[in-house]
Every structure is written in structure tokens, then in C-alpha cells.
Amino acid sequence: MTPDYESGTGNALMSQNKTFIEFHEALLKLNHRPDFINDNRSRKLAALSDLAGQLLQVDRVSIWQMNAAGNRIDSEVLFQLEGGHDYQPIALEEQDNPAYFQALRTARVIDASDARSDRRTAQFTQSYFVPPGIHSLLDAPVFDGGRLSGVICLESLKRRAWTLPEISFATAIADTISLINTHEAWLHSQKQLDYVTHFDSLTGLPNLQSFRERIYHLIQKIRQRPEEGFTLIWIDLDRLKSVNDGMGAAGGNRVISEIANRLRSLYLQGRDKVARIGGDEFAVLVRDADGDCNLEQIVHQIQHCVSDPIAIDNRTLRMTASVGVCRYPDDGKDTESLLRSAEAAMYYAKENGRARMQTFNSDIHSTARSRFVLEGELRQAILRNELDVFYQPIVNTRDRRMVSIEALVRWEHPEQGWMSPIEFLDVARNAGLMQDLGTAVLRRVCEDRQRTASQGIELPVMAINLSAEQVMDDRLPKLVEEMLEHYGISGSELQFELTEDAIKDDSKSMQAILNELGALGSKLSIDDFGTGYSSLSRLKHLPFSRLKIDRSFIRDIPDNADDKAITLSILGLARGLGMEVVAEGVETEEQRHWLLEQGCELLQGYLFSKPVPIDQLLALDAVPRRSAL
């Protein structure tokens, strides 16, 4: 008898193995179908429930979604073997079925052959099982990460003992649903990030990046038709600083928003795109504005639109605008030269009385605003090592302990006083001074670190920003190595930060430069994440260990749901890539507490310290100290 028994057992196992393979091959085949891959979530769920119902010959297959509070599931899809798909909105509450919800959270699968008496599902008997005549139930929870997000439920109208291949198949479908959910969440976050990248958060207008892309597109298009052209109009609001001084930043923002709404609604003949390109600056692209009369009429419309009274808090304001105009291809053959020409014309208008329009001409660059004089002064300041560096701590979320420091360049202009980077970096970039400026900052950081070490103070890692120009220069690693050797500093004492736009080229040369910096012992960080174009593949293949969430996403949390969603998406992305995360621009305890709850370990912002000179930094309580003796 024994051989027969063993033979029967072996045959049963072989049969189960064959069934197991057939089930999973069918699921794999569905997952790789192009129409399934490209379908939307609802139809994917319908296809999965159809496959489960037909393959396992169960009477009903339903897919449910858990609510955010985790105490209710709502039906999304219902497949019936006799009747196909029939969506029935049903909700099941935890308070009515506590044992079932507990089982969902703790079990890999709920295989109830006698569902009406099973302790996990017995509470469903009268309200759920009896009307359709359900007797057996096989449920597989769906988890997105560690969170229970739903369940797939297989139901039989007769008593049925669930086999191992069937249980395995149900869990495989649950895992497939989890992957679909994760992919959908990622797509949603990418759309949000793309919106933030291309649109201004205050006004909703396209931003400078979007405006640049449109200019580039028009140039490519018009090159095929050389008889055509377009006009770029640069608009700068006059004396907005007075509004900010008198009514606060909120008052200034309301003025900017009102002007943005007016420009958005303004009909201009040949208008192509309107954008907000800076704090109080807007730009307009106009096609086929060839005649001077037509162009003057367009600028008159813009200035009239700006100068109409604005009522804010029982006060009436009248704004004016300085306008610069240039034309493609006469005043520039590429995007950046056109933007520079329009901006130069605008500055010339502002310097010569404001509230006026200036078309670009060849003499403007030599006579326009002090921006061009500033270039020479900045060049001299770099040569004389007159630039300074301020430092802003990056702290641990929980105990506020300083874990690293970001170095930020500053310039004390002999006439204008302290200048922040936003006031002179564009000048440096247009003048080709970014590499020299970067070298000056690196030297000052090394000097400060050497000096503090000689005083018996060991500072945390210092983070230095690298420009796109620096990171594409293959001499950079050698320069850093020589600087480290000269000042007696280890590469691990420095960290280098790059913005997303600085790495958008993603060339082999740039990868080699970053790897060489890493070989010196320095870690790399992505700054202002979410405002550029970092793809998953790029982040995966470049040697970054830290990601900094741009302050624009932090400013309105925890009140803004969109910013919270984007921040959570970035945190999830960083964790998946094994990267540290720093939240920039933290200014309130509410922001700190929310970020702490989400597991963001590192924070930077005015809540802890504004950027300060090295001597003031050393006076902060959070500075870790170690005696050299």
C-alpha cells in the first residue's frame, strides 16, 4: 500500500506544481501585454479580476481600496463569473467587522473555506454573505510599502477548500496591484513635480524655465522659415520694493498676483506666451509684431494694464513698468542672448526714467545699468580674494544637533553693502566668472576650516555649492585635491552640492568628474531638488548620497496638501535610493514637527540659524566641539 500512497501523493504534488506554474505564467503573460501596460489603473484592475475569476473559476472577484484612516475599505472592481463586471459601490467599516480588519493587517492571506463560521469573517454573515449566497472566501491584503492599502477578495457560492496554487496566485495578484498603485503614485508625483518645475507657484503663470523652452522651440521652428521672427518683451515692475517696505511681503505678493492675472487676461495681437521670470519681472513672447506701430501699441497695452489702480486693504496703488524689447533674429540668435538683450534693454529703460519702453540696440550693453559695471567690480573682488563666505547649519531633526554646514558666498560691495548670491551670480555666469568664483569660495572654506582646527574646534562637514560650469571642467578634481593638500584637510571634511540643472547633461565626462570627487572622500548632494530635471535613472547612476528638498515645497507645509504630497514623494524616492534627505527653508516649529513625523532626519533654515559669518557660527550652541589637546 505504501508505494501506491506515495505514488498518489507524488502525483498530487506534480499536479499542484503544474497548476501553480500555469497560474503564474498566465499572470506574467498579462503583465507583459502592451495594452495592459499602457492601460489606466481601473482597466488594469478589471483585467486582473477577470483573470482571477476565469482561471480559478470563482463566482466573484472584487478589489477594494483602504481609506486614508485605515478603518474602511471601498469596492473598486467586481467581477462575477456569471455576468462579468458589475461595479457595486460597497463600503465595509472596521467598527462593524473588527476581526476581519485585524486579520487583514496581520495575515498574508485569509483563506476561509467556511467563511460564515470563520472567526475572521463571521461578522459578514447576515449583511454580506447571505444575500448573494457566499460560503467560501480567499482574501489577499494589498500593501504599498508597509501600509495596508486594500485587498483582493475571491468568493465562492459553495464550500471550497483553497489549494496552495490558488493561495499563491491570490497573493501574486495582490503584489501586482501594489506595483500598479506604486507606479500610479509615482506618475502623479512626477506630474506635480513637472508642474512646479514649469509654473510659478505664486501666480500660476509659466516660469523662466518654461519660457526658455518656448523660446528655444520657436527658434527651431522659425529657422525653417527665415522670413519669420518674434519679439521678446521684458517687463519689470517699478518700485515694488517700496510696496514691500510699506505693506510687507504679503502686500507685494498681492500686487504681483494682480499684475499676473491682468497679463494673463490681456489680449495682445500675436501673443504667444506670458511668464513670470523673476520676483517682480514678467516676459511676453509676441509673434509677427513686425511694424513699429504694432509693437508700440502692444507695449502701450501692457503698460496701461500695469498702471490701472490696484486696491489692497483700503489702499489704492498705481504701479508702472519698465519694458525692454528685443527681436529674433536681429538681437540674438539663441535663447540666452535674446534674454540678455531684452533684460539689458529693460535696465536701460529703468535707468533712464522708469515707466518707459526701450528697444534693444548695439549701444545698450555699454551704457545700460550698473549690472555691466558690476561685472568688472566682481572680477576684481575675486582676484583680490574679497568675497566672503557665510555658513548655515544643517541640523538633526530631533535634537537640533548640527551635523553639517552649508557654505554660501557673500560679497560686501564697497557702495551697495552686503550682496547675496542672487544679486551677482547671474553677472558672474554671463561674464564667464563662475569657475573663478567657485575656486575663491573653496579656498575661503578651506582657510576657515584650517583656522578653526588650529583653535581646537573640529567643525562638522562643510558643504560647498558647485556650479554647472565647475562640474563640467575636468580640472576640478585636481584643483580640489591640491587645495585639500595645501590646507591639510581631508576630502571627507567637505561635501559638494549640485543643483538638478547642473547635472542635466549627465555625460560620461561629468560622471567621471563626480566619481573622482568621491574618490577624494567627499560626498555629493543634490541641491534644490524638485525644481529641475532629475530622472530616476540619472539619480541611480550618479554617486549622490544626499538630496535636499527645495524650500518652495517646504514653505507652505503642513497646510498645503500638494506640497505635502510632493515632499512625501521626494522622501520616498530618496529612501528607495538610499539617500539622506535635507529639508531646506524650515522656518516654523510646525514645519519641523511635520517633517519629523515623516522621518525627515535633517533640516536647514531660519528656525535654527540664518547664514552667518564663521565667527558667529562658532558662537552657536549647536556647534560640536572637540579640543585639539
Side-chain angles (χ1 to χ4, degrees), residues 180-251:
I180 291 171
N181 292 344
T182 301
H183 181 66
E184 289 290 317
W186 181 81
L187 287 176
H188 180 66
S189 67
Q190 287 298 107
K191 289 178 181 177
Q192 290 180 307
L193 287 173
D194 185 65
Y195 178 84
V196 172
T197 302
H198 287 84
F199 291 87
D200 174 57
S201 60
L202 176 63
T203 66
L205 287 176
N207 61 15
L208 179 57
Q209 180 61 40
S210 180
F211 197 70
R212 279 194 173 105
E213 290 176 5
R214 183 57 184 165
I215 295 174
Y216 177 81
H217 175 77
L218 283 179
I219 290 173
Q220 302 309 308
K221 190 174 181 179
I222 290 174
R223 278 176 179 169
Q224 309 303 318
R225 298 191 292 271
E227 71 281 1
E228 296 186 17
F230 62 86
T231 300
L232 195 163
I233 303 173
W234 190 297
I235 306 160
D236 184 276
L237 302 182
D238 297 325
R239 298 186 176 91
L240 185 68
K241 185 177 184 299
S242 299
V243 177
N244 287 328
D245 291 343
M247 303 182 67

Side-chain angles (χ1 to χ4, degrees), residues 322-372:
S322 299
V323 178
V325 178
C326 73
R327 180 167 174 77
Y328 174 83
D330 302 338
D331 302 324
K333 298 293 193 294
D334 57 55
T335 302
E336 294 307 319
S337 62
L338 283 167
L339 288 169
R340 284 197 298 269
S341 296
E343 184 183 22
M346 179 276 295
Y347 278 131
Y348 189 90
K350 191 174 285 289
E351 279 292 302
N352 287 272
R354 294 187 172 90
R356 63 190 299 265
M357 182 264 283
Q358 174 66 52
T359 56
F360 181 82
N361 61 64
S362 58
D363 296 330
I364 280 182
H365 277 301
S366 60
T367 58
R369 179 187 178 267
S370 59
R371 160 184 195 92
F372 304 101

Side-chain angles (χ1 to χ4, degrees), residues 471-491:
V471 81
M472 292 305 297
D473 185 348
D474 57 11
R475 298 171 296 178
L476 176 65
K478 184 64 175 177
L479 170 67
V480 173
E481 184 179 18
E482 291 174 351
M483 203 80 76
L484 293 173
E485 183 177 350
H486 178 77
Y487 289 98
I489 295 172
S490 166

